[in-house]
Amino acid sequence: MTQSVLFFDSGVGGLSVLQQVRLHSPHLNLRYVMDDAAFPYGTKSDDVLTQRVQQVCFSAVQQCSPDILVIACNTASTLALPALRQTLDIPVVGVVPAIKPAAQLAKRGHIGLLATPATVERLYINDLIQDFAEHCKVDRLGSSELVQWAEDYLASGQPVPQLQAHLQPWFERCPEMTHVVLGCTHFPLLKPQLQQLWPDIHWIDSGEAIARRVASLLHQSRKLQKNESEEHSPEAHSGRDGELSLHWTSANLSQPAAQRFLLELGELTEATQLALHTANRQNETKC
Ligand code: DGL
């Protein structure tokens, strides 16, 4: 049976991660859940966010029965991963800022972290820096504007005119910065524009690493299932691309930007609102 991966974010940002998984493992069924009713996450308090993320992820897993859940949101991952792993009985992959690879690559030892205001303040980030980038100078910039502009860009296809004025003062304050970590999944959607404006900066995100991690976890679980059923047939997929589906939490009737993005990647078999329920309700209809 085709394995399926569920992606979760507040808005369209996690599509940048889904895209990498699609490129890496086209045969997988990919389901995308956006909590647009509670967008944006990056300005919400930790308490509100922890509860919300758990509620939506629990509902989504109940309804979609995926093999694996990817929290395609740095703001949620740096806060709620332990709680989610405790509640859910499938592997949960978090997306966190790629500080480790950036610190390995930056020869001058000065890296930037561009993320939501919530993410840049997290203790999780202090730990990441202490563990993997202690030899580096790390400058953090929290921006909720970039999150909204990434949403607007996906909706309109129009480049973001405010990018240069918004980020230039940061680069002027940190002239030694050579590598910038895109620590919000919305930001890789703006990468072509960032590269055009600052061609000397290396822009680093977590998308490819997550795609490899998902493939490896699913491979392990297939091997385990084969051993359990004592089947030793070679791994086989149908050769067809997997299905794509989209789910959201607001009362909107459709999500044109996300739907267009997914349609560029393949066949969209479902686009529906997600039914939210509390963590102890059972027997929901499956999607
Ligand atoms: N895409 C999300 C992240 O990676 C959240 C953006 C937001 O809702 O503020 O942090």
Side-chain angles (χ1 to χ4, degrees):
M1 209 169 103
T2 307
Q3 291 175 298
S4 75
V5 186
L6 178 68
F7 296 83
F8 165 77
D9 185 30
S10 58
V12 297
L15 290 170
S16 67
V17 182
L18 177 147
Q19 184 177 34
Q20 293 301 320
V21 174
R22 180 69 163 183
L23 285 173
H24 195 280
S25 312
H27 58 282
L28 297 174
N29 288 339
L30 307 182
R31 314 205 179 284
Y32 190 78
V33 171
M34 49 196 275
D35 186 13
D36 61 324
F39 173 88
Y41 275 4
T43 50
K44 296 214 160 34
S45 76
D46 289 4
D47 287 351
V48 168
L49 210 54
T50 308
Q51 268 199 3
R52 178 71 187 180
V53 168
Q54 287 199 83
Q55 186 195 13
V56 180
C57 287
F58 184 83
S59 305
V61 168
Q62 284 269 303
Q63 288 169 61
C64 299
S65 306
D67 293 284
I68 203 166
L69 170 65
V70 177
I71 306 300
C73 173
N74 294 260
T75 310
S77 295
T78 50
L79 179 71
L81 271 181
L84 287 167
R85 286 183 175 142
Q86 228 170 27
T87 337
L88 299 168
D89 56 4
I90 54 168
V92 181
V93 174
V95 177
V96 300
I99 286 173
K100 184 181 176 185
Q104 286 165 348
L105 290 167
K107 300 245 167 12
R108 270 192 263 158
H110 192 162
I111 63 179
L113 169 63
L114 191 54
T116 63
T119 300
V120 295
E121 294 296 329
R122 295 248 194 276
L123 292 177
Y124 193 103
I125 298 297
N126 297 349
D127 292 345
L128 266 184
I129 294 173
Q130 203 184 338
D131 292 347
F132 303 112
E134 227 186 354
H135 60 289
C136 289
K137 183 167 171 10
V138 184
D139 267 288
R140 313 178 195 194
L141 183 69
S143 169
S144 40
E145 290 87 343
L146 277 181
V147 177
Q148 184 57 53
W149 292 337
E151 293 273 331
D152 297 345
Y153 172 62
L154 219 68
S156 71
Q158 297 300 314
V160 180
Q162 309 93 321
L163 267 188
Q164 166 120 39
H166 185 67
L167 292 179
Q168 190 58 32
W170 189 43
F171 286 111
E172 279 167 16
R173 278 199 308 277
C174 312
E176 293 290 303
M177 206 158 63
T178 52
H179 291 65
V180 172
V181 176
L182 297 175
C184 168
T185 54
H186 277 73
F187 300 169
L189 299 171
L190 300 174
K191 200 164 161 182
Q193 291 168 66
L194 293 167
Q195 279 168 330
Q196 208 176 20
L197 286 167
W198 292 279
D200 297 334
I201 297 288
H202 299 271
W203 303 93
I204 301 173
D205 65 75
S206 313
E208 272 181 48
I210 298 297
R212 287 194 299 271
R213 177 84 185 129
V214 165
S216 136
L217 282 172
L218 290 176
H219 178 74
Q220 279 169 28
S221 103
R222 265 195 315 264
K223 270 193 4 201
L224 212 71
Q225 278 164 15
K226 267 192 212 161
N227 287 344
E228 273 169 14
S229 63
E230 289 184 292
E231 270 179 34
H232 295 287
S233 55
E235 237 174 58
H237 348 105
S238 65
R240 273 197 322 234
D241 284 354
E243 295 170 355
L244 303 167
S245 75
L246 174 67
H247 310 275
W248 59 90
T249 54
S250 73
N252 289 342
L253 293 178
S254 66
Q255 295 290 342
Q259 285 176 223
R260 250 195 330 270
F261 189 97
L262 288 169
L263 280 168
E264 298 227 335
L265 300 177
E267 191 192 351
L268 186 57
T269 52
E270 199 187 343
T272 53
Q273 195 190 8
L274 181 82
L276 288 188
H277 50 76
T278 49
N280 53 11
R281 249 176 84 189
Q282 304 289 328
N283 304 327
E284 295 287 329
T285 334
K286 308 221 164 201
C287 61

